[in-house]
PDB file of all heavy atoms in Angstrom:
ATOM      1  N   ALA Q   1     153.994 -97.829 -47.648  1.00 97.00           N
ATOM      2  CA  ALA Q   1     153.375 -97.811 -49.034  1.00 97.00           C
ATOM      3  C   ALA Q   1     153.342 -96.303 -49.542  1.00 97.00           C
ATOM      4  O   ALA Q   1     153.597 -96.041 -50.710  1.00 97.00           O
ATOM      5  CB  ALA Q   1     152.052 -98.357 -49.052  1.00 97.00           C
ATOM      6  N   GLN Q   2     152.967 -95.372 -48.635  1.00 97.00           N
ATOM      7  CA  GLN Q   2     153.007 -94.015 -49.032  1.00 97.00           C
ATOM      8  C   GLN Q   2     154.372 -93.448 -49.386  1.00 97.00           C
ATOM      9  O   GLN Q   2     154.528 -92.670 -50.336  1.00 97.00           O
ATOM     10  CB  GLN Q   2     152.324 -93.166 -47.852  1.00 97.00           C
ATOM     11  CG  GLN Q   2     152.089 -91.692 -48.292  1.00 97.00           C
ATOM     12  CD  GLN Q   2     151.045 -91.616 -49.493  1.00 97.00           C
ATOM     13  OE1 GLN Q   2     150.050 -92.178 -49.395  1.00 97.00           O
ATOM     14  NE2 GLN Q   2     151.568 -90.952 -50.557  1.00 97.00           N
ATOM     15  N   ARG Q   3     155.346 -93.896 -48.547  1.00 96.00           N
ATOM     16  CA  ARG Q   3     156.751 -93.524 -48.908  1.00 96.00           C
ATOM     17  C   ARG Q   3     157.119 -94.007 -50.343  1.00 96.00           C
ATOM     18  O   ARG Q   3     157.816 -93.359 -51.003  1.00 96.00           O
ATOM     19  CB  ARG Q   3     157.697 -94.082 -47.864  1.00 96.00           C
ATOM     20  CG  ARG Q   3     157.704 -93.399 -46.548  1.00 96.00           C
ATOM     21  CD  ARG Q   3     158.881 -93.908 -45.704  1.00 96.00           C
ATOM     22  NE  ARG Q   3     158.689 -93.729 -44.308  1.00 96.00           N
ATOM     23  CZ  ARG Q   3     159.572 -93.991 -43.386  1.00 96.00           C
ATOM     24  NH1 ARG Q   3     160.788 -94.455 -43.752  1.00 96.00           N
ATOM     25  NH2 ARG Q   3     159.368 -93.774 -42.086  1.00 96.00           N
ATOM     26  N   ALA Q   4     156.727 -95.266 -50.545  1.00 96.00           N
ATOM     27  CA  ALA Q   4     157.059 -95.920 -51.829  1.00 96.00           C
ATOM     28  C   ALA Q   4     156.398 -95.060 -53.003  1.00 96.00           C
ATOM     29  O   ALA Q   4     157.072 -94.783 -54.046  1.00 96.00           O
ATOM     30  CB  ALA Q   4     156.476 -97.299 -51.939  1.00 96.00           C
ATOM     31  N   LEU Q   5     155.160 -94.654 -52.846  1.00 96.00           N
ATOM     32  CA  LEU Q   5     154.527 -93.822 -53.902  1.00 96.00           C
ATOM     33  C   LEU Q   5     155.219 -92.468 -54.024  1.00 96.00           C
ATOM     34  O   LEU Q   5     155.473 -92.004 -55.108  1.00 96.00           O
ATOM     35  CB  LEU Q   5     153.009 -93.638 -53.541  1.00 96.00           C
ATOM     36  CG  LEU Q   5     152.237 -92.882 -54.603  1.00 96.00           C
ATOM     37  CD1 LEU Q   5     152.291 -93.533 -55.939  1.00 96.00           C
ATOM     38  CD2 LEU Q   5     150.817 -92.654 -54.119  1.00 96.00           C
ATOM     39  N   ASP Q   6     155.587 -91.766 -52.915  1.00 95.00           N
ATOM     40  CA  ASP Q   6     156.215 -90.479 -52.989  1.00 95.00           C
ATOM     41  C   ASP Q   6     157.570 -90.607 -53.683  1.00 95.00           C
ATOM     42  O   ASP Q   6     157.903 -89.706 -54.555  1.00 95.00           O
ATOM     43  CB  ASP Q   6     156.537 -89.906 -51.591  1.00 95.00           C
ATOM     44  CG  ASP Q   6     155.205 -89.571 -50.910  1.00 95.00           C
ATOM     45  OD1 ASP Q   6     154.123 -89.437 -51.610  1.00 95.00           O
ATOM     46  OD2 ASP Q   6     155.132 -89.479 -49.678  1.00 95.00           O
ATOM     47  N   LEU Q   7     158.318 -91.625 -53.421  1.00 95.00           N
ATOM     48  CA  LEU Q   7     159.630 -91.803 -54.142  1.00 95.00           C
ATOM     49  C   LEU Q   7     159.431 -92.173 -55.582  1.00 95.00           C
ATOM     50  O   LEU Q   7     160.179 -91.672 -56.464  1.00 95.00           O
ATOM     51  CB  LEU Q   7     160.409 -92.944 -53.394  1.00 95.00           C
ATOM     52  CG  LEU Q   7     161.114 -92.571 -52.087  1.00 95.00           C
ATOM     53  CD1 LEU Q   7     161.629 -93.812 -51.442  1.00 95.00           C
ATOM     54  CD2 LEU Q   7     162.266 -91.653 -52.335  1.00 95.00           C
ATOM     55  N   ALA Q   8     158.502 -92.962 -55.892  1.00 94.00           N
ATOM     56  CA  ALA Q   8     158.216 -93.412 -57.223  1.00 94.00           C
ATOM     57  C   ALA Q   8     157.770 -92.132 -58.105  1.00 94.00           C
ATOM     58  O   ALA Q   8     158.231 -92.094 -59.227  1.00 94.00           O
ATOM     59  CB  ALA Q   8     157.174 -94.444 -57.275  1.00 94.00           C
ATOM     60  N   GLU Q   9     156.965 -91.361 -57.546  1.00 94.00           N
ATOM     61  CA  GLU Q   9     156.595 -90.176 -58.290  1.00 94.00           C
ATOM     62  C   GLU Q   9     157.689 -89.176 -58.415  1.00 94.00           C
ATOM     63  O   GLU Q   9     157.835 -88.481 -59.548  1.00 94.00           O
ATOM     64  CB  GLU Q   9     155.343 -89.594 -57.638  1.00 94.00           C
ATOM     65  CG  GLU Q   9     154.019 -90.416 -57.712  1.00 94.00           C
ATOM     66  CD  GLU Q   9     152.799 -89.803 -57.080  1.00 94.00           C
ATOM     67  OE1 GLU Q   9     153.034 -88.977 -56.102  1.00 94.00           O
ATOM     68  OE2 GLU Q   9     151.680 -90.161 -57.420  1.00 94.00           O
ATOM     69  N   GLY Q  10     158.527 -89.139 -57.455  1.00 92.00           N
ATOM     70  CA  GLY Q  10     159.613 -88.180 -57.407  1.00 92.00           C
ATOM     71  C   GLY Q  10     160.699 -88.637 -58.530  1.00 92.00           C
ATOM     72  O   GLY Q  10     161.365 -87.784 -59.094  1.00 92.00           O
ATOM     73  N   THR Q  11     160.814 -89.911 -58.773  1.00 90.00           N
ATOM     74  CA  THR Q  11     161.790 -90.426 -59.762  1.00 90.00           C
ATOM     75  C   THR Q  11     161.172 -90.777 -61.126  1.00 90.00           C
ATOM     76  O   THR Q  11     161.803 -91.167 -62.000  1.00 90.00           O
ATOM     77  CB  THR Q  11     162.537 -91.626 -59.227  1.00 90.00           C
ATOM     78  OG1 THR Q  11     161.550 -92.587 -58.902  1.00 90.00           O
ATOM     79  CG2 THR Q  11     163.344 -91.289 -58.018  1.00 90.00           C
ATOM     80  N   ASN Q  12     159.845 -90.544 -61.204  1.00 91.00           N
ATOM     81  CA  ASN Q  12     159.074 -90.845 -62.335  1.00 91.00           C
ATOM     82  C   ASN Q  12     159.271 -92.311 -62.814  1.00 91.00           C
ATOM     83  O   ASN Q  12     159.396 -92.615 -63.923  1.00 91.00           O
ATOM     84  CB  ASN Q  12     159.498 -89.859 -63.516  1.00 91.00           C
ATOM     85  CG  ASN Q  12     158.460 -89.841 -64.649  1.00 91.00           C
ATOM     86  OD1 ASN Q  12     157.231 -90.012 -64.335  1.00 91.00           O
ATOM     87  ND2 ASN Q  12     158.903 -89.548 -65.864  1.00 91.00           N
ATOM     88  N   ASP Q  13     159.234 -93.222 -61.828  1.00 92.00           N
ATOM     89  CA  ASP Q  13     159.469 -94.691 -62.135  1.00 92.00           C
ATOM     90  C   ASP Q  13     158.051 -95.240 -62.195  1.00 92.00           C
ATOM     91  O   ASP Q  13     157.360 -95.584 -61.241  1.00 92.00           O
ATOM     92  CB  ASP Q  13     160.188 -95.282 -60.923  1.00 92.00           C
ATOM     93  CG  ASP Q  13     160.611 -96.793 -61.175  1.00 92.00           C
ATOM     94  OD1 ASP Q  13     159.837 -97.424 -61.897  1.00 92.00           O
ATOM     95  OD2 ASP Q  13     161.623 -97.218 -60.638  1.00 92.00           O
ATOM     96  N   THR Q  14     157.665 -95.650 -63.504  1.00 94.00           N
ATOM     97  CA  THR Q  14     156.326 -96.097 -63.707  1.00 94.00           C
ATOM     98  C   THR Q  14     156.171 -97.446 -63.040  1.00 94.00           C
ATOM     99  O   THR Q  14     155.049 -97.677 -62.476  1.00 94.00           O
ATOM    100  CB  THR Q  14     156.107 -96.293 -65.226  1.00 94.00           C
ATOM    101  OG1 THR Q  14     156.304 -95.085 -65.911  1.00 94.00           O
ATOM    102  CG2 THR Q  14     154.671 -96.755 -65.559  1.00 94.00           C
ATOM    103  N   ARG Q  15     157.088 -98.367 -63.132  1.00 93.00           N
ATOM    104  CA  ARG Q  15     156.949 -99.665 -62.406  1.00 93.00           C
ATOM    105  C   ARG Q  15     156.773 -99.521 -60.957  1.00 93.00           C
ATOM    106  O   ARG Q  15     155.870-100.157 -60.262  1.00 93.00           O
ATOM    107  CB  ARG Q  15     158.132-100.506 -62.762  1.00 93.00           C
ATOM    108  CG  ARG Q  15     157.999-101.923 -62.261  1.00 93.00           C
ATOM    109  CD  ARG Q  15     159.309-102.798 -62.625  1.00 93.00           C
ATOM    110  NE  ARG Q  15     159.065-104.212 -62.229  1.00 93.00           N
ATOM    111  CZ  ARG Q  15     159.332-104.628 -61.005  1.00 93.00           C
ATOM    112  NH1 ARG Q  15     159.633-103.758 -60.064  1.00 93.00           N
ATOM    113  NH2 ARG Q  15     159.110-105.926 -60.657  1.00 93.00           N
ATOM    114  N   ALA Q  16     157.578 -98.692 -60.314  1.00 94.00           N
ATOM    115  CA  ALA Q  16     157.445 -98.499 -58.922  1.00 94.00           C
ATOM    116  C   ALA Q  16     156.115 -97.787 -58.504  1.00 94.00           C
ATOM    117  O   ALA Q  16     155.541 -98.061 -57.470  1.00 94.00           O
ATOM    118  CB  ALA Q  16     158.601 -97.617 -58.377  1.00 94.00           C
ATOM    119  N   GLN Q  17     155.668 -96.901 -59.319  1.00 96.00           N
ATOM    120  CA  GLN Q  17     154.346 -96.224 -59.158  1.00 96.00           C
ATOM    121  C   GLN Q  17     153.242 -97.285 -59.171  1.00 96.00           C
ATOM    122  O   GLN Q  17     152.277 -97.244 -58.324  1.00 96.00           O
ATOM    123  CB  GLN Q  17     154.057 -95.213 -60.172  1.00 96.00           C
ATOM    124  CG  GLN Q  17     154.919 -93.794 -59.960  1.00 96.00           C
ATOM    125  CD  GLN Q  17     154.540 -92.877 -61.034  1.00 96.00           C
ATOM    126  OE1 GLN Q  17     153.363 -92.405 -61.275  1.00 96.00           O
ATOM    127  NE2 GLN Q  17     155.573 -92.423 -61.781  1.00 96.00           N
ATOM    128  N   ALA Q  18     153.334 -98.175 -60.214  1.00 96.00           N
ATOM    129  CA  ALA Q  18     152.261 -99.206 -60.326  1.00 96.00           C
ATOM    130  C   ALA Q  18     152.371-100.114 -59.027  1.00 96.00           C
ATOM    131  O   ALA Q  18     151.203-100.526 -58.520  1.00 96.00           O
ATOM    132  CB  ALA Q  18     152.474-100.052 -61.599  1.00 96.00           C
ATOM    133  N   GLN Q  19     153.466-100.403 -58.517  1.00 95.00           N
ATOM    134  CA  GLN Q  19     153.575-101.303 -57.388  1.00 95.00           C
ATOM    135  C   GLN Q  19     153.056-100.523 -56.087  1.00 95.00           C
ATOM    136  O   GLN Q  19     152.410-101.216 -55.335  1.00 95.00           O
ATOM    137  CB  GLN Q  19     155.120-101.721 -57.155  1.00 95.00           C
ATOM    138  CG  GLN Q  19     155.268-102.727 -56.165  1.00 95.00           C
ATOM    139  CD  GLN Q  19     156.787-103.030 -55.968  1.00 95.00           C
ATOM    140  OE1 GLN Q  19     157.664-102.541 -56.556  1.00 95.00           O
ATOM    141  NE2 GLN Q  19     157.024-104.087 -55.133  1.00 95.00           N
ATOM    142  N   ALA Q  20     153.404 -99.292 -56.022  1.00 96.00           N
ATOM    143  CA  ALA Q  20     152.966 -98.606 -54.852  1.00 96.00           C
ATOM    144  C   ALA Q  20     151.479 -98.425 -54.783  1.00 96.00           C
ATOM    145  O   ALA Q  20     150.752 -98.537 -53.746  1.00 96.00           O
ATOM    146  CB  ALA Q  20     153.662 -97.217 -54.742  1.00 96.00           C
ATOM    147  N   HIS Q  21     150.875 -98.008 -55.997  1.00 97.00           N
ATOM    148  CA  HIS Q  21     149.418 -97.897 -56.080  1.00 97.00           C
ATOM    149  C   HIS Q  21     148.699 -99.264 -55.773  1.00 97.00           C
ATOM    150  O   HIS Q  21     147.698 -99.297 -55.049  1.00 97.00           O
ATOM    151  CB  HIS Q  21     149.003 -97.449 -57.429  1.00 97.00           C
ATOM    152  CG  HIS Q  21     149.066 -95.993 -57.605  1.00 97.00           C
ATOM    153  ND1 HIS Q  21     150.155 -95.319 -58.144  1.00 97.00           N
ATOM    154  CD2 HIS Q  21     148.224 -94.922 -57.258  1.00 97.00           C
ATOM    155  CE1 HIS Q  21     149.947 -93.938 -58.092  1.00 97.00           C
ATOM    156  NE2 HIS Q  21     148.754 -93.829 -57.562  1.00 97.00           N
ATOM    157  N   ASN Q  22     149.327-100.355 -56.183  1.00 97.00           N
ATOM    158  CA  ASN Q  22     148.818-101.661 -55.954  1.00 97.00           C
ATOM    159  C   ASN Q  22     148.788-101.974 -54.483  1.00 97.00           C
ATOM    160  O   ASN Q  22     147.820-102.505 -53.903  1.00 97.00           O
ATOM    161  CB  ASN Q  22     149.680-102.737 -56.711  1.00 97.00           C
ATOM    162  CG  ASN Q  22     149.135-104.154 -56.596  1.00 97.00           C
ATOM    163  OD1 ASN Q  22     147.985-104.405 -56.864  1.00 97.00           O
ATOM    164  ND2 ASN Q  22     149.896-104.974 -56.042  1.00 97.00           N
ATOM    165  N   MET Q  23     149.886-101.559 -53.722  1.00 97.00           N
ATOM    166  CA  MET Q  23     150.020-101.856 -52.363  1.00 97.00           C
ATOM    167  C   MET Q  23     148.960-100.959 -51.557  1.00 97.00           C
ATOM    168  O   MET Q  23     148.321-101.453 -50.606  1.00 97.00           O
ATOM    169  CB  MET Q  23     151.490-101.518 -51.917  1.00 97.00           C
ATOM    170  CG  MET Q  23     151.766-102.139 -50.493  1.00 97.00           C
ATOM    171  SD  MET Q  23     151.589-103.882 -50.377  1.00 97.00           S
ATOM    172  CE  MET Q  23     150.498-104.030 -49.018  1.00 97.00           C
ATOM    173  N   LEU Q  24     148.899 -99.716 -51.984  1.00 97.00           N
ATOM    174  CA  LEU Q  24     147.879 -98.870 -51.280  1.00 97.00           C
ATOM    175  C   LEU Q  24     146.439 -99.357 -51.561  1.00 97.00           C
ATOM    176  O   LEU Q  24     145.589 -99.268 -50.681  1.00 97.00           O
ATOM    177  CB  LEU Q  24     148.057 -97.417 -51.780  1.00 97.00           C
ATOM    178  CG  LEU Q  24     149.323 -96.653 -51.265  1.00 97.00           C
ATOM    179  CD1 LEU Q  24     149.550 -95.455 -52.115  1.00 97.00           C
ATOM    180  CD2 LEU Q  24     149.111 -96.333 -49.753  1.00 97.00           C
ATOM    181  N   GLY Q  25     146.228 -99.882 -52.631  1.00 97.00           N
ATOM    182  CA  GLY Q  25     144.891-100.481 -52.989  1.00 97.00           C
ATOM    183  C   GLY Q  25     144.585-101.686 -52.120  1.00 97.00           C
ATOM    184  O   GLY Q  25     143.610-101.854 -51.643  1.00 97.00           O
ATOM    185  N   ILE Q  26     145.659-102.526 -51.939  1.00 96.00           N
ATOM    186  CA  ILE Q  26     145.481-103.768 -51.008  1.00 96.00           C
ATOM    187  C   ILE Q  26     145.109-103.311 -49.647  1.00 96.00           C
ATOM    188  O   ILE Q  26     144.276-103.804 -48.943  1.00 96.00           O
ATOM    189  CB  ILE Q  26     146.886-104.511 -51.054  1.00 96.00           C
ATOM    190  CG1 ILE Q  26     147.010-105.233 -52.406  1.00 96.00           C
ATOM    191  CG2 ILE Q  26     146.795-105.567 -49.922  1.00 96.00           C
ATOM    192  CD1 ILE Q  26     148.335-105.885 -52.536  1.00 96.00           C
ATOM    193  N   LEU Q  27     145.810-102.200 -49.138  1.00 97.00           N
ATOM    194  CA  LEU Q  27     145.589-101.798 -47.782  1.00 97.00           C
ATOM    195  C   LEU Q  27     144.229-101.228 -47.615  1.00 97.00           C
ATOM    196  O   LEU Q  27     143.543-101.402 -46.610  1.00 97.00           O
ATOM    197  CB  LEU Q  27     146.727-100.859 -47.405  1.00 97.00           C
ATOM    198  CG  LEU Q  27     148.063-101.401 -47.319  1.00 97.00           C
ATOM    199  CD1 LEU Q  27     149.154-100.305 -47.176  1.00 97.00           C
ATOM    200  CD2 LEU Q  27     148.230-102.438 -46.123  1.00 97.00           C
ATOM    201  N   ALA Q  28     143.772-100.410 -48.661  1.00 96.00           N
ATOM    202  CA  ALA Q  28     142.472 -99.779 -48.555  1.00 96.00           C
ATOM    203  C   ALA Q  28     141.363-100.882 -48.602  1.00 96.00           C
ATOM    204  O   ALA Q  28     140.410-100.834 -47.881  1.00 96.00           O
ATOM    205  CB  ALA Q  28     142.258 -98.908 -49.719  1.00 96.00           C
ATOM    206  N   ASN Q  29     141.630-101.911 -49.365  1.00 95.00           N
ATOM    207  CA  ASN Q  29     140.637-103.030 -49.373  1.00 95.00           C
ATOM    208  C   ASN Q  29     140.538-103.727 -48.096  1.00 95.00           C
ATOM    209  O   ASN Q  29     139.443-104.134 -47.644  1.00 95.00           O
ATOM    210  CB  ASN Q  29     141.013-104.014 -50.569  1.00 95.00           C
ATOM    211  CG  ASN Q  29     139.997-105.074 -50.832  1.00 95.00           C
ATOM    212  OD1 ASN Q  29     138.797-104.873 -50.477  1.00 95.00           O
ATOM    213  ND2 ASN Q  29     140.430-106.134 -51.298  1.00 95.00           N
ATOM    214  N   SER Q  30     141.732-103.943 -47.418  1.00 94.00           N
ATOM    215  CA  SER Q  30     141.727-104.660 -46.185  1.00 94.00           C
ATOM    216  C   SER Q  30     141.001-103.841 -45.034  1.00 94.00           C
ATOM    217  O   SER Q  30     140.482-104.358 -44.076  1.00 94.00           O
ATOM    218  CB  SER Q  30     143.139-104.974 -45.654  1.00 94.00           C
ATOM    219  OG  SER Q  30     143.876-103.749 -45.363  1.00 94.00           O
ATOM    220  N   ARG Q  31     140.929-102.468 -45.254  1.00 94.00           N
ATOM    221  CA  ARG Q  31     140.256-101.649 -44.291  1.00 94.00           C
ATOM    222  C   ARG Q  31     138.825-101.396 -44.679  1.00 94.00           C
ATOM    223  O   ARG Q  31     138.085-100.804 -43.882  1.00 94.00           O
ATOM    224  CB  ARG Q  31     140.945-100.232 -44.162  1.00 94.00           C
ATOM    225  CG  ARG Q  31     142.432-100.297 -43.762  1.00 94.00           C
ATOM    226  CD  ARG Q  31     142.932 -98.958 -43.338  1.00 94.00           C
ATOM    227  NE  ARG Q  31     142.538 -97.915 -44.436  1.00 94.00           N
ATOM    228  CZ  ARG Q  31     143.356 -97.593 -45.393  1.00 94.00           C
ATOM    229  NH1 ARG Q  31     144.462 -98.293 -45.619  1.00 94.00           N
ATOM    230  NH2 ARG Q  31     143.035 -96.718 -46.298  1.00 94.00           N
TER     231      ARG Q  31
END
């Protein structure tokens, strides 16, 4: 998920950033 966010921010891909933040949020909630 962190790799996804790094790549999304590097390419300025809004959809990918939203997806990566969503995934990191899911993981944080599970912890």
Side-chain angles (χ1 to χ4, degrees):
Q2 189 59 57
R3 287 194 202 182
L5 182 59
D6 292 343
L7 282 168
E9 289 178 340
T11 57
N12 200 29
D13 186 332
T14 303
R15 186 178 183 278
Q17 288 181 56
Q19 188 180 5
H21 276 96
N22 185 57
M23 194 60 236
L24 286 165
I26 291 172
L27 294 170
N29 188 22
S30 70
R31 299 194 311 274

